[in-house]
């Protein structure tokens, strides 16, 4: 059987109610926060994390009072 090429998932995004409330779970797993910003239009905030050599994780949360797709 031929050897398959190595594959890697670039990132996994998780919709949450609040980045601040969900973040402690990722930090407890050993994740490291690398970025957080609000969307250009202010309808959601997203934050990126690394977990060792694994793929990146993202938390995506709607802004309070916005008509976000989330």
């Amino acid at each position: 059987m031929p050897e398959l090429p190595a594959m890697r998932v670039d990132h996994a995004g998780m919709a949450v109610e609040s980045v601040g409330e969900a973040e402690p779970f990722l930090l407890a797993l050993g994740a490291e926060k690398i970025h957080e910003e609000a969307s250009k239009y202010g309808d959601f905030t997203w934050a990126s994390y690394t977990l060792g050599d694994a793929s990146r994780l993202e938390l995506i949360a709607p802004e309070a009072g916005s008509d976000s797709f989330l």
Side-chain angles (χ1 to χ4, degrees):
M1 181 170 200
E3 187 174 323
L4 297 175
M7 294 178 61
R8 180 177 179 267
V9 172
D10 181 67
H11 70 280
M14 296 173 273
V16 296
E17 291 184 19
S18 163
V19 169
E21 290 180 20
E23 183 176 75
F25 176 73
L26 293 182
L27 298 178
L29 293 175
E32 201 173 312
K33 187 175 194 172
I34 56 174
H35 181 81
E36 181 174 342
E37 74 178 90
S39 72
K40 180 178 178 180
Y41 303 106
D43 53 350
F44 67 93
T45 296
W46 63 279
S48 295
Y49 305 81
T50 58
L51 185 57
D53 291 335
S55 302
R56 289 179 300 131
L57 304 172
E58 291 182 357
L59 296 177
I60 308 162
E63 288 295 327
S66 74
D67 190 23
S68 175
F69 64 94
L70 297 169

